[in-house]
Amino acid sequence: MNDTKISKPRGRPRRFDPDEAVATAKHLFHARGFDALGVAEITAALGINPPSFYAAFGSKLGLYRRVLDQYNRTDAIPLPDLLQPDRPISESLTAVMEDAARRYAADPEARGCLVIESTRCDDEEARNAARAFYAAAGQVIRSHIAQKFPDKADRLADFVCSSMAGLSAMARNGVSLARLLEIARLAGKAVELELHSANG
């Protein structure tokens, strides 16, 4: 009897994890932007060839949609946590803008908001995908304000969203966190003044 054991190969280790790939691509899109980032650069960063890329994601846009979904789950401002119904409106909106300032300045290589910066994409489908996420966040803010100040909701939500867009742009331009927080707090004071005027 031959006691020699022939071990069977265990199979190739999985070379490609789609979730990890999306996380890597998220950083690339954030740092470089949708328009500037090509498939060749993406596949090189992911360590896969183009056929594997297209099999996994279908297209650059398909990957980008996955990136937006992951960004919304893991990196977006936690609006439900900050916009608590028992918290003063001006305080909660200031907290949203301060949180935005911190997130937008957190990564020196990928400053600003991935979603906001992507709303200006040249690619129409990518631009519309980002705008849908941006509009959804704006609606959450608007609905929160409307619970107590329905007549001020549209104007204040527009102000907060435009302030966050400004914070993102300034972060992309290298403005320090300290200055971004000053801007956020000044915008918060403007919100408070507007709400006081609403109370007459």
Side-chain angles (χ1 to χ4, degrees):
M1 182 175 176
N2 188 349
D3 292 332
T4 304
K5 293 183 179 178
I6 301 174
S7 60
K8 294 183 179 179
R10 298 180 179 224
R12 283 181 159 181
R14 185 176 177 84
R15 296 178 54 207
F16 173 65
D17 183 323
D19 291 331
E20 289 181 8
V22 171
T24 299
K26 179 177 65 177
H27 187 272
L28 287 173
F29 279 119
H30 200 163
R32 304 262 284 115
F34 182 89
D35 298 318
L37 193 61
V39 171
E41 187 175 352
I42 296 171
T43 55
L46 301 184
I48 59 174
N49 56 34
S52 297
F53 170 82
Y54 289 113
F57 303 111
S59 65
K60 184 172 83 163
L61 180 64
L63 171 61
Y64 183 65
R65 291 184 187 279
R66 296 265 302 265
V67 162
L68 287 176
D69 286 336
Q70 189 182 96
Y71 183 85
N72 191 51
R73 291 194 312 271
T74 61
D75 298 303
I77 297 165
L79 294 177
D81 296 336
L82 297 173
L83 301 176
Q84 294 292 331
D86 57 347
R87 191 178 192 182
I89 296 283
S90 60
E91 181 182 308
S92 61
L93 294 178
T94 300
V96 166
M97 291 185 283
E98 288 181 354
D99 188 87
R102 293 187 182 93
R103 288 173 187 271
Y104 299 167
D107 186 343
E109 295 181 358
R111 295 171 68 89
C113 174
L114 170 65
V115 171
I116 290 174
E117 297 305 316
S118 298
T119 60
R120 296 187 289 272
C121 283
D122 290 336
D123 184 281
E124 182 179 7
E125 289 184 279
R127 183 172 67 244
N128 288 339
R131 285 179 176 177
F133 278 94
Y134 183 57
Q139 186 55 49
V140 171
I141 293 170
R142 184 173 287 101
S143 297
H144 178 71
I145 299 169
Q147 291 175 15
K148 295 181 180 177
F149 300 95
D151 58 326
K152 299 283 186 177
D154 287 341
R155 181 162 52 180
L156 279 177
D158 287 345
F159 175 75
V160 171
C161 290
S162 63
S163 296
M164 291 165 67
L167 288 168
S168 179
M170 295 189 78
R172 292 285 286 188
N173 287 329
V175 173
S176 69
L177 173 59
R179 288 177 61 194
L180 294 175
L181 285 171
E182 287 180 0
I183 295 165
R185 288 162 187 160
L186 183 60
K189 289 179 180 178
V191 168
E192 187 174 7
L193 285 172
E194 176 67 11
L195 293 178
H196 282 320
S197 72
N199 290 329

